Amino acid sequence: MSDEDDLEDFEPDQDDFEKDEDEKETEEGEDYRKEGEEFPEEWLPTPLTEDMMKEGLSLLCKTGSGLAHAYVKLEVKERDLTDIYLLRSYIHLRYVDVSENHLTDLSPLNYLTHLLWLKADGNRLRSAQLNELPYLQIASFAYNQITDTEGISHPRLETLNLKGDQKHWPSDLIGLPGATTEDRGCLFLPQSWKFITT
């Protein structure tokens, strides 16, 4: 009998196979728990992926030059995202909704120079700092923990929403020239800005 015949006759015992599979699953589960112990489940790093982008993109329009078309609207809310780095390469986006995630940094949005509308409510933002976006008109950072107004200097910004806990309301924002407050927790800004709510 040859070695090949021996291999053909050999059939692993089904019980041994199941035991091996069970041991692998147990080891993988232990590894996962060890990694997961470092972060609570909600804080596991969840970057924006191409698949999420495909699901969230809509509204096909001409680009700024008028020579091509691109999707200009993105909605990726409630995805437990912690990183939106991928947005850097989607420069034609004009409407972005990244609400109800776990974002702490919006700097990838600095590359979206055609951005008109931004909604980043319900994240873990302490700052709304962005480079000056020349076309941004409406920005909403409600239910975050914004503590300063650095980086909120967009020439066409009309409406800024900071609705949420008043204890996080930036003191320097209240001191803006021409700004007035009311008992309901609204901050009204002069002419070019409509209002800020807390």
Side-chain angles (χ1 to χ4, degrees):
M1 203 174 195
S2 70
D3 289 336
E4 290 177 12
D5 293 335
D6 288 343
L7 287 176
E8 288 175 10
D9 292 339
F10 177 74
E11 291 182 27
D13 185 1
Q14 187 63 27
D15 291 335
D16 290 340
F17 181 75
E18 288 173 3
K19 285 179 188 173
D20 289 343
E21 287 298 313
D22 289 342
E23 287 173 6
K24 282 183 186 177
E25 288 175 8
T26 304
E27 288 172 8
E28 289 172 1
E30 288 172 1
D31 289 343
Y32 176 77
R33 281 194 297 272
K34 286 177 188 171
E35 292 173 8
E37 286 173 3
E38 295 175 19
F39 304 99
E41 186 175 334
E42 66 180 333
W43 282 100
L44 289 176
T46 309
L48 182 61
T49 64
E50 290 286 345
D51 288 337
M52 290 180 198
M53 290 295 293
K54 288 176 188 174
E55 291 173 18
L57 285 171
S58 62
L59 194 57
L60 187 64
C61 292
K62 285 186 178 181
T63 61
S65 67
L67 301 175
H69 288 81
Y71 287 106
V72 297
K73 184 176 179 183
L74 176 68
E75 184 178 299
V76 286
K77 59 185 183 180
E78 298 177 354
R79 301 291 187 105
D80 295 326
L81 295 174
T82 57
D83 179 11
I84 55 172
Y85 182 81
L86 185 61
L87 286 184
R88 295 169 58 125
S89 57
Y90 288 82
I91 60 172
H92 298 292
L93 287 173
R94 297 178 196 162
Y95 309 95
V96 174
D97 185 349
V98 290
S99 300
E100 306 302 326
N101 286 295
H102 303 290
L103 299 174
T104 58
D105 177 31
L106 296 177
S107 61
L109 298 176
N110 289 326
Y111 293 84
L112 309 183
T113 56
H114 299 284
L115 194 63
L116 298 170
W117 181 89
L118 171 62
K119 188 172 181 184
D121 300 347
N123 281 287
R124 301 187 188 287
L125 300 171
R126 294 198 178 276
S127 171
Q129 183 170 358
L130 291 169
N131 293 345
E132 187 176 286
L133 297 170
Y135 304 108
L136 186 63
Q137 296 171 17
I138 299 172
S140 181
F141 303 105
Y143 303 104
N144 281 286
Q145 298 163 0
I146 306 294
T147 56
D148 66 54
T149 57
E150 187 178 343
I152 304 177
S153 58
H154 312 287
R156 289 192 172 89
L157 188 64
E158 293 180 7
T159 305
L160 176 64
N161 183 355
L162 295 175
K163 187 177 183 178
D165 191 352
Q166 271 188 313
K167 69 181 179 183
H168 295 294
W169 212 12
S171 58
D172 58 336
L173 190 59
I174 296 169
L176 286 173
T180 58
T181 60
E182 289 189 359
D183 294 336
R184 293 174 301 195
C186 293
L187 177 64
F188 294 92
L189 297 168
Q191 296 173 352
S192 64
W193 291 16
K194 289 183 183 169
F195 61 87
I196 296 176
T197 334
T198 61

